[in-house]
Amino acid sequence: MTEHTLPKIAIIMAHAGGGHVTAARSLAEALEGKAQVVFLNLLDEHAPFPLNHLSAAYGPWVNYAPWTYQKIYELFSAPWSVEMIQRAAYPFVRNQVAAVLKAVAADLVISVHSVQVTIPLRALREISPQTPFVTVVTDPVTPPIAWFASDADLCVVATEPARKVALACGLPADRVQVIGLPVRRAFLTVCGQPKAALRAQLGLDPALRTVLLTGGGAGIGKLLAPARAIAGRLAASRTPAQMAIIAGNNRELLKRLRAQQWPLPVMLLGYVENMAEWMAASDLLITKAGPGTLAEAACVGLPVLITEFIPGQEAGNVSWVVDHQAGVYAPKPEQVAPLVDELLRPGNPQLELMAGQALNIARCDASEKIAQAALALYHRTAEV
Ligand code: UDP
């Protein structure tokens, strides 16, 4: 097939955090050679003010006012309020959304962003009722109900609890598939590569065990205090270790990290494109309960110490990891450094056990399977 005969698939995403971008890019990789993919960011690029600033506000908002974020999450958890908000917003955004969808003229539309499901689907049904619409739910365990439009043609979720939410929202069982969260192809490529070689490539000491800290794409979480406490504790106990801290797009955090004196080798980074290598080179990940990050860590068998979660939508992610013994949850700042020290202590088998459990819950082929399911839907619809 030439590029022109391939089906055109539009993937609707947004730049809030890193998870939606990763999901969109993972699916585009899996569709390479099988579809022409275009990304649509209706929220950031086509919605009216102030909606077009929501994504940019996500990092600071969650970092500095998490409880107000929770209130919004709760608002999007009640069917009546979701319905009311979407009905009220539709007349203001309908023309713009419909114009963009019409111009793109996709053969199939996929949304990986909960705020951009019902409205684009409604507009799509008005301008092109036969075009299939797929939702790929990137909140694996406790997804807000805004994800679930009952007339979506296919809804992909990551876990059984999420499937139940989809069914409760009125989706017929034959349109819901439990597959997993889309993960970048690089996480498959790095699997099995020796940690020492990866560390050397990344400029780390190949011989030292490595603790990685991240806070999602927006560098969310109070990373500075735990990072300092961990470094101090590991240095005091003379544990041979090094740290890498990835601040994502949080420039202020990176600046503050760079202003510190560190008592052991520490690599400080902003947004990295090669997260797969950083994770595969590490022995322990310290992070908020970001779904993309947790799914990726599982794929490379990286144990996780979760320090916090975004109230509401990330709550279920903690139990997903902890119940499967792929990681631990330490919400109190004073717990983190002693726990890291304990986990890295020579002879402690816990990291290895958690690494094995992480691999058991990994769905490294999720992107490929979602791409296949979407293409199968396209072909079925095209035949009718
Ligand atoms: N990420 C990245 N580079 C960075 C920081 C994060 O590629 O420097 C990616 C990370 O690998 C994951 C995503 O951003 O795929 C973060 O998604 P998650 O769902 O964990 O959290 P969010 O950022 O959406 O809150």
Side-chain angles (χ1 to χ4, degrees):
M1 267 192 184
T2 67
E3 178 76 356
H4 297 292
T5 56
L6 294 175
K8 187 175 193 182
I9 297 189
I11 304 182
I12 303 178
M13 39 75 84
H15 282 287
H20 305 114
V21 180
T22 292
R25 290 169 79 183
S26 308
L27 294 175
E29 283 173 356
L31 288 163
E32 208 179 317
K34 299 172 194 127
Q36 292 175 63
V37 173
V38 284
F39 293 133
L40 288 186
N41 188 339
L42 300 170
L43 183 67
D44 303 338
E45 291 169 15
H46 301 284
F49 179 85
L51 296 175
N52 57 348
H53 288 268
L54 275 183
S55 291
Y58 166 77
W61 186 5
V62 170
N63 247 341
Y64 299 111
W67 300 108
T68 58
Y69 190 86
Q70 183 175 16
K71 288 291 162 220
I72 300 292
Y73 172 84
E74 283 164 7
L75 202 61
F76 273 90
S77 300
W80 66 266
S81 53
V82 172
E83 174 85 18
M84 201 183 73
I85 293 165
Q86 284 169 346
R87 268 176 196 264
Y90 193 67
F92 295 100
V93 296
R94 188 250 167 229
N95 288 351
Q96 188 64 2
V97 170
V100 175
L101 290 172
K102 207 169 189 170
V104 169
D107 297 300
L108 180 139
V109 176
I110 300 178
S111 175
V112 297
H113 191 232
S114 63
V115 176
Q116 303 181 83
V117 173
T118 310
I119 288 176
L121 175 54
R122 188 167 160 194
L124 188 69
R125 290 289 184 254
E126 286 177 21
I127 58 164
S128 178
Q130 73 290 349
T131 304
F133 189 96
V134 180
T135 315
V136 177
V137 177
T138 62
D139 289 311
V141 190
T142 37
I145 61 168
W147 276 109
F148 303 108
S150 59
D151 55 339
D153 300 285
L154 172 66
C155 175
V156 175
V157 294
T159 66
E160 190 51 34
R163 190 180 84 95
K164 288 194 176 126
V165 183
L167 299 185
C169 290
L171 268 144
D174 62 350
R175 283 200 242 140
V176 184
Q177 291 191 29
V178 183
I179 299 181
L181 283 193
V183 169
R184 302 285 305 269
R185 193 173 281 162
F187 284 86
L188 281 173
T189 324
V190 292
C191 262
Q193 288 190 31
K195 284 195 191 301
L198 284 167
R199 285 177 191 150
Q201 266 174 40
L202 294 168
L204 295 165
D205 184 331
L208 287 181
R209 292 182 108 186
T210 306
V211 179
L212 176 66
L213 286 91
T214 72
I220 290 166
K222 315 280 179 283
L223 284 184
L224 179 60
R228 278 168 49 105
I230 294 164
R233 178 79 181 218
L234 293 177
S237 66
R238 296 181 188 279
T239 304
Q242 61 195 333
M243 291 164 62
I245 310 174
I246 298 178
N249 290 316
N250 191 337
R251 294 211 186 117
E252 182 55 34
L253 172 64
L254 186 60
K255 209 166 97 190
R256 292 175 68 199
L257 289 165
R258 286 190 172 144
Q260 307 296 313
Q261 299 285 338
W262 298 95
L264 50 69
V266 174
M267 189 80 97
L268 303 172
L269 301 128
Y271 193 91
V272 300
E273 283 295 339
N274 56 345
M275 187 59 90
E277 290 168 22
W278 284 99
M279 285 198 187
S282 300
D283 298 283
L284 175 64
L285 172 66
I286 300 178
T287 182
K288 74 171 180 99
T293 302
L294 297 180
E296 292 164 356
C299 287
V300 293
L302 177 62
V304 188
L305 191 162
I306 300 173
T307 51
E308 60 188 289
F309 60 88
I310 298 179
Q313 76 192 54
E314 289 185 353
N317 306 352
V318 178
S319 42
W320 181 64
V321 168
V322 174
D323 294 352
H324 288 95
Q325 290 146 29
V328 287
Y329 174 49
K332 294 193 186 134
E334 65 276 15
Q335 293 174 308
V336 176
L339 196 50
V340 173
D341 195 24
E342 173 69 32
L343 288 169
L344 291 191
R345 187 156 304 154
N348 184 344
Q350 210 180 336
L351 277 186
E352 211 172 312
L353 292 173
M354 291 196 293
Q357 292 296 107
L359 289 171
N360 284 340
I361 56 169
R363 294 286 171 270
C364 306
D365 58 352
S367 304
E368 294 294 331
K369 287 196 165 150
I370 297 168
Q372 278 167 18
L375 287 169
L377 172 65
Y378 160 73
H379 287 299
R380 275 200 310 278
T381 318
E383 277 163 18
V384 176

